Amino acid sequence: MKSRLAEPQPSTRNLFAFLTATVSVLVLVPTDARVAFAQERTAAVGYSIPAGPLPQALNRFADVSGLQLVYDAGATRTLRTAGFNGKGPASSVLATLLSGTGLTWRFTSTDTVTITSPAALSGSLPADGSTVLETITIQGEGINNWNAPPEYAGGQVATGAKLGILGNTSIMDTPFNVTSYTSKTIKDQQAVTVADVVANDPSVRVYTNGLGSSAGVGDSFVVRGFSVGNYSVLIDGFGGIAPDRIIPVETMESVEILKGPNALLNGYTQYGSLGGSINVIPKRATDEPVTSVTTTYASDSQFGTHLDYGRRFGNDKEWGIRANGIFRDGNTSLDGQSARLGVGTVALDYRGDDFRASLDAGQIDQKTDVPTGSAGFGFASGIAIPKVPDLSKQIYQDWEYAGTKSDYVLGKFEYDLNPSWTIYGGAGYRRYDQEALSSDIYVTDTAGNATATAYYSPIQEDAFSAQAGIRGEFDTGSISHKVNLNTSYLFQTMNQESNYYGFYSFSTNIYNAPTISRPSTAGFSSNPPKYWDINAPAITLADTMSFFDDRVLFTAGARYQQIKVDVFDPDGSLSQGYDKSALTPAFGVVVKPIENLSLYANYIEGLQRGPVAWAGTSNAGEIFPPIMTEQMEAGIKYDFGTFTATASVFQITKPGSILTTDSSGASVFSVNGEQRNRGVELNVFGEVTANLRVLGGVAYTQGTLTKTDDGLYNGNSAVGVPRWQGNIGIEWDPQAIEGLTLSGRIIATGSQYVDQANTQKLPGWTRFDIGAQYKTSTFGNPLTLRASVENVTNKNYWAGVSDGWVTMGTPRTFKISATVDF
């Protein structure tokens, strides 16, 4: 879609600003004359712009009228409008929208309107008699490929997302189901990691939480019934370089969730993004200075501080710096458990007229004492799933711990060869050192008796990721094209000592755990040998074609991906490996039969490294070749102006893993059969009224095993795929108390099977969260107070299943914070 917004060139910017300010104070010119001037250039069309925030109303006006709007974003941020419904010339509609705001407007060309405030020109003049003007910025629904997409009405989600090879794309223009949660949502919900943010999405469930679990993958999720690990989270579109275990979202501008396989868009990711992908966008310096201090408290006794600083420099504010520092430490709401988190990030950027560049760097230091197990709980075959233990009660031993140190850096650039073509590129590096002494628990009866297997796990990894490409726009007759040719490369090397797994076992009980002496790790090295190298180069070509004045958008593309894996024995010799390649095509179409309505469909594939045979099987450690998924999806999206609803149906098929027993009675892990997930999703977000916002939806997923070995489990429900999942969050601003916001959220999950034979099942669960926010001031500085309670009823529940291992939910947790902006 061609942008409806234009920015003055640098050589004329001062002149443009001067002319804008001059004409804005010509209040002696009769309004009728200005209207007549506008009516000569616009025809009466229909508008449906609800009452609400003025910026969103102006965005809608620009979209319908096709006009370009130039105005000061800061001057409109807090203003509201009565809206407009009906037909009329653009001039009359705009006059109605601006009524009572104190702003004036004028056509400065046949398709450009300048909006300004006469008050902006008041005040004393400099000694030389010149006029000092406010910075003028361009606002509207146009989305570029560099900045994060703007907020949608209500501010909880963005109007678009960065879709890998497709770049920044409006929600209404993408043939996929995507939601981008904003920094406002992150702050208001006091989110710490990605796991806290995805709790808003009905298609996503958290399997392990990196702050509380010793799982090597840290935060791990299930999207549309398939696993998505923290290692697969992208940073600003780059895979393989995300911090280990957790990503501190307080340093991020947004968290984007794309549902479904996405090989074309994002390429290969190490631990799988077959059900979807998660992309985090780092904070950047804004035009307005940022200096904020946040103090936090979370039960049981965890305190923290977050410093956020941002500035822009230069004649045109072309240079920017954004720095964040976070420290948290103390006991969590689980007895005996404590967690420490230290974060430091810096983001530098340059935004010129033709050249833009950024550099992001960060360090995360995290440690948890008495974490929950890596895999959680396994259950002996044939026993009924026992009652979940008290979530706040200590089950693991005092000597258990898990910690990691991660460093990452990412540099990016893009250069406009001309108005239609841009070259871009970037490279990133990540290093982490992880160490854990922890245990997994295998429950043997309904009384909770179990065997705990301790392991010592030092892991070190280095990763390098790079991209380069060219994108451009051109027309062939009446068809417009947006093409992107991209090359990428991902290298990962991991050091890991597999011999330290299961070095010690002891008896325990999940309801009354005994105290066990710390096992000796004497002789174990914290510098493990090389375990594997992964090389993954790729080349991608995609084209989005526009027909009938952007009413039909058709995207087609393909990625050629190579994955080369070498696995080493402890002595450094090559143990096993493979060198495979795959061509993963994708197709998507968006049809807009009427304004604000989008119908879409897609076919896309997913690709990930093959699974590793589980510990305890006769072929433990065997690495299988890459696996692929296929998705077909169709959906509908309707934007009501300040409120959007989407619905989709999908089918994803994936090769399945299975455990069988050989003639000697040993368990054998293999990739055999297929898992087919079919589902329906409904999502809603935005402002229902001026003081009521809603965020959430419902997901129904039917996971079915097909083509299993000898048809053994054909037709059974897939492991860890609940039929029903629902989330609904509401924010309400009581008009009686200015500055107060009340919130509530319900998260519900249906029952799910633990084993492929469908003999063991976890019951469904529902969790309630509540919160409050109050905005005031202290010593002339804005002050925001926030308080929330997660799992209000202290519900005990089994959270989820992955590969037959079960994890628990989180106990009732109180959170309090205070943010001062200077």
Side-chain angles (χ1 to χ4, degrees):
M1 182 176 66
K2 294 181 175 63
S3 173
R4 297 188 175 94
L5 308 175
E7 183 169 359
Q9 295 299 312
S11 60
T12 61
R13 182 173 290 135
N14 293 335
L15 177 60
F16 182 89
F18 177 78
L19 293 175
T20 299
T22 301
V23 299
S24 69
V25 295
L26 295 179
V27 295
L28 296 179
V29 177
T31 300
D32 290 343
R34 295 200 303 271
V35 171
F37 179 81
Q39 286 176 327
E40 293 177 0
R41 292 158 175 80
T42 58
V45 296
Y47 295 85
S48 178
I49 304 175
L54 181 61
Q56 280 75 33
L58 293 178
N59 284 345
R60 178 59 55 206
F61 170 78
D63 186 48
V64 175
S65 68
L67 295 172
Q68 302 175 39
L69 304 183
V70 181
Y71 60 90
D72 179 5
T76 64
R77 185 173 294 117
T78 60
L79 298 179
R80 301 185 70 84
T81 178
F84 183 92
N85 285 282
K87 283 190 174 184
S91 54
S92 297
V93 177
L94 187 57
T96 301
L97 294 177
L98 296 179
S99 177
T101 65
L103 300 177
T104 62
W105 59 270
R106 185 180 188 277
F107 276 85
T108 52
S109 72
T110 57
D111 61 356
T112 302
V113 176
T114 297
I115 300 172
T116 190
S117 169
L121 300 178
S122 63
S124 60
L125 297 177
D128 61 3
S130 61
T131 302
V132 179
L133 302 177
E134 293 188 64
T135 299
I136 294 177
T137 55
I138 315 282
Q139 296 293 322
E141 291 194 348
I143 295 179
N144 61 32
N145 280 305
W146 189 255
N147 301 319
E151 294 179 352
Y152 185 71
Q156 294 178 302
V157 302
T159 56
K162 292 189 175 184
L163 296 181
I165 191 72
L166 300 183
N168 274 352
T169 308
S170 166
I171 290 175
M172 302 300 289
D173 290 343
T174 176
F176 304 101
N177 188 336
V178 61
T179 306
S180 177
Y181 298 97
T182 64
S183 58
K184 179 182 184 300
T185 298
I186 294 171
K187 289 186 293 186
D188 290 348
Q189 296 183 354
Q190 304 181 79
V192 179
T193 76
V194 172
D196 299 317
V197 179
V198 301
N200 294 289
D201 202 295
S203 300
V204 186
R205 285 297 178 263
V206 177
Y207 174 65
T208 58
N209 186 311
L211 276 179
S213 170
S214 62
V217 74
D219 282 351
S220 61
F221 320 102
V222 178
V223 184
R224 284 188 171 175
F226 294 109
S227 175
V228 176
N230 187 76
Y231 293 158
S232 295
V233 174
L234 307 160
I235 293 186
D236 211 2
F238 279 65
I241 60 171
D244 175 51
R245 293 180 57 78
I246 67 166
I247 297 174
V249 292
E250 292 166 291
T251 68
M252 299 298 164
E253 184 63 34
S254 60
V255 176
E256 303 172 342
I257 301 176
L258 170 66
K259 288 98 171 181
N262 49 91
L264 172 79
L265 305 178
N266 298 313
Y268 158 82
T269 53
Q270 179 179 340
Y271 283 96
S273 53
L274 301 181
S277 70
I278 298 174
N279 182 37
V280 296
I281 310 297
K283 287 181 177 178
R284 296 271 183 269
T286 59
D287 287 335
E288 296 297 323
V290 173
T291 306
S292 72
V293 178
T294 301
T295 57
T296 64
Y297 164 83
S299 57
D300 186 29
S301 58
Q302 187 166 93
F303 297 89
T305 301
H306 174 206
L307 307 178
D308 188 358
Y309 175 88
R311 292 291 188 277
R312 299 211 71 86
F313 306 94
N315 293 333
D316 298 312
K317 295 186 177 181
E318 62 270 26
W319 296 95
I321 181 172
R322 189 75 174 263
N324 280 263
I326 301 169
F327 183 77
R328 299 174 183 271
D329 195 12
N331 296 329
T332 73
S333 52
L334 194 154
D335 291 346
Q337 185 181 88
S338 64
R340 185 190 71 235
L341 174 64
V343 179
T345 66
V346 62
L348 308 175
D349 75 280
Y350 173 83
R351 58 182 195 192
D353 298 307
D354 299 322
F355 181 77
R356 295 160 295 280
S358 65
L359 180 68
D360 295 282
Q363 183 178 78
I364 296 89
D365 187 350
Q366 181 266 329
K367 184 181 180 182
T368 303
D369 290 317
V370 195
T372 57
S374 172
F377 297 84
F379 297 98
S381 177
I383 71 167
I385 300 298
K387 179 182 177 181
V388 64
D390 184 340
L391 295 183
S392 63
K393 188 174 182 179
Q394 181 175 337
I395 296 175
Y396 296 84
Q397 301 297 312
D398 289 337
W399 43 262
E400 299 188 41
Y401 67 89
T404 186
K405 291 183 179 180
S406 296
D407 300 278
Y408 71 92
V409 61
L410 172 63
K412 298 177 58 180
F413 80 92
E414 62 179 34
Y415 176 70
D416 299 330
L417 299 173
N418 54 50
S420 298
W421 291 91
T422 299
I423 60 173
Y424 64 91
Y429 170 79
R430 191 266 320 268
R431 162 80 181 185
Y432 76 78
D433 290 275
Q434 177 187 135
E435 186 174 303
L437 175 61
S438 189
S439 64
D440 290 328
I441 296 176
Y442 188 77
V443 181
T444 56
D445 60 34
T446 56
N449 293 309
T451 299
T453 301
Y455 60 89
Y456 175 60
S457 175
I459 302 175
Q460 300 165 353
E461 183 177 289
D462 293 270
F464 172 79
S465 180
Q467 293 185 25
I470 182 170
R471 63 174 181 265
E473 302 180 13
F474 62 91
D475 295 334
T476 56
S478 62
I479 303 174
S480 298
H481 298 261
K482 290 183 178 181
V483 298
N484 195 328
L485 177 63
N486 174 283
T487 60
S488 62
Y489 176 72
L490 175 63
F491 172 76
Q492 294 171 305
T493 180
M494 175 184 285
N495 298 342
Q496 177 177 308
E497 178 56 81
S498 59
N499 294 334
Y500 300 165
Y501 284 90
F503 74 94
Y504 182 73
S505 296
F506 57 92
S507 296
T508 187
N509 186 283
I510 63 174
Y511 304 118
N512 187 22
T515 299
I516 304 297
S517 299
R518 185 187 192 277
S520 173
T521 54
F524 289 178
S525 172
S526 60
N527 295 304
K530 179 182 288 190
Y531 183 58
W532 71 43
D533 284 342
I534 300 176
N535 290 270
I539 184 169
T540 310
L541 177 63
D543 182 10
T544 296
M545 291 162 275
S546 173
F547 306 83
F548 309 116
D549 193 25
D550 291 345
R551 291 292 182 181
V552 178
L553 304 172
F554 178 72
T555 299
R559 178 184 292 262
Y560 178 78
Q561 179 81 62
Q562 181 183 7
I563 303 178
K564 184 177 185 296
V565 178
D566 292 321
V567 183
F568 301 93
D569 287 325
D571 62 4
S573 61
L574 185 65
S575 169
Q576 56 179 311
Y578 57 79
D579 187 351
K580 302 288 185 180
S581 61
L583 184 68
T584 54
F587 306 94
V589 62
V590 177
V591 179
K592 302 178 180 179
I594 60 174
E595 192 69 34
N596 303 333
L597 175 66
S598 293
L599 308 175
Y600 76 93
N602 67 65
Y603 169 85
I604 192 168
E605 298 180 353
L607 178 68
Q608 76 167 48
R609 180 182 60 82
V612 180
W614 304 342
T617 59
S618 61
N619 59 333
E622 180 182 354
I623 295 182
F624 289 81
I627 60 176
M628 297 175 60
T629 56
E630 295 180 302
Q631 172 180 276
M632 292 180 290
E633 179 183 9
I636 182 172
K637 307 173 185 180
Y638 191 81
D639 185 349
F640 293 89
T642 62
F643 177 80
T644 293
T646 72
S648 59
V649 294
F650 66 88
Q651 174 179 291
I652 305 176
T653 56
K654 165 189 170 294
S657 57
I658 190 171
L659 283 179
T660 57
T661 303
D662 61 18
S663 57
S664 65
S667 295
V668 180
F669 179 93
S670 64
V671 176
N672 195 346
E674 182 179 82
Q675 179 176 333
R676 183 190 65 214
N677 288 4
R678 290 174 173 168
V680 180
E681 296 167 329
L682 173 65
N683 294 86
V684 292
F685 56 84
E687 285 188 331
V688 180
T689 65
N691 62 342
L692 183 66
R693 296 168 294 282
V694 64
L695 179 65
V698 177
Y700 173 84
T701 307
Q702 185 181 63
T704 305
L705 300 178
T706 62
K707 303 178 184 179
T708 59
D709 191 33
D710 294 329
L712 180 62
Y713 299 127
N714 283 0
N716 284 9
S717 295
V719 172
V721 184
R723 289 289 179 96
W724 290 99
Q725 295 179 172
N727 296 50
I728 189 66
I730 295 176
E731 288 186 350
W732 175 52
D733 305 325
Q735 294 180 324
I737 306 177
E738 184 177 356
L740 178 65
T741 298
L742 303 178
S743 61
R745 181 173 65 184
I746 301 175
I747 304 175
T749 303
S751 61
Q752 50 194 303
Y753 285 101
V754 175
D755 62 333
Q756 293 173 323
N758 289 180
T759 61
Q760 297 171 309
K761 181 191 286 189
L762 301 182
W765 55 272
T766 300
R767 191 185 98 184
F768 299 91
D769 304 333
I770 59 173
Q773 174 181 273
Y774 182 66
K775 293 183 177 181
T776 181
S777 63
T778 177
F779 300 104
N781 297 310
L783 170 66
T784 303
L785 303 174
R786 299 180 177 94
S788 63
V789 185
E790 297 177 353
N791 193 1
V792 174
T793 63
N794 206 23
K795 171 76 173 180
N796 296 322
Y797 60 96
W798 297 112
V801 187
S802 180
D803 293 337
W805 288 86
V806 176
T807 57
M808 296 190 301
T810 53
R812 180 167 51 213
T813 303
F814 297 89
K815 293 182 177 180
I816 302 173
S817 68
T819 300
V820 180
D821 296 307
F822 296 94

